Amino acid sequence: EKMYKDLLEYLVKNLVTNPDKVVVREEQKEDSKLMLHLSVDSSDMGRIIGKEGRIIRAIREIINSYGMKNSKKVLVNVEENK
């Protein structure tokens, strides 16, 4: 389980200017679903979302592909750090 959180943290921390503000929370959903709640500094939201959502789509694809390898559905939810 922790590997998904670590992978997401690693990817995101290398994209943002405030890596210390990156927080990932795990929430186990029904059966084999895992929800990762990602929050970053508000100034880094654009870096994570990307133009037309390309970056967050790519991040979700990487995490989900990694999950599929282990028969797990992993969802990534982005929240703004207050």
Side-chain angles (χ1 to χ4, degrees):
E1 300 283 301
K2 191 169 172 345
M3 59 189 162
Y4 303 109
K5 181 181 178 200
D6 290 346
L7 176 60
L8 180 59
E9 257 179 28
Y10 174 78
L11 290 169
V12 172
K13 282 184 176 184
N14 282 287
L15 291 171
V16 298
T17 52
N18 299 293
D20 53 314
K21 298 271 176 72
V22 172
V23 178
V24 178
R25 283 187 307 109
E26 290 177 309
E27 181 188 349
Q28 189 62 54
K29 295 288 198 182
E30 71 279 349
D31 32 288
S32 60
K33 277 190 184 158
L34 177 68
M35 173 73 81
L36 295 177
H37 298 278
L38 166 68
S39 67
V40 297
D41 191 73
S42 55
S43 66
D44 286 323
M45 281 304 271
R47 283 185 179 82
I48 293 306
I49 304 299
K51 195 170 188 169
E52 295 169 7
R54 285 191 189 119
I55 294 173
I56 191 60
R57 254 200 320 274
I59 290 171
R60 284 180 171 137
E61 214 167 286
I62 291 167
I63 298 291
N64 208 26
S65 300
Y66 192 48
M68 286 174 138
K69 210 174 78 168
N70 302 300
S71 306
K72 198 150 188 77
K73 178 106 174 114
V74 185
L75 308 165
V76 178
N77 178 40
V78 182
E79 303 163 348
E80 196 170 323
N81 223 337
K82 311 258 181 306

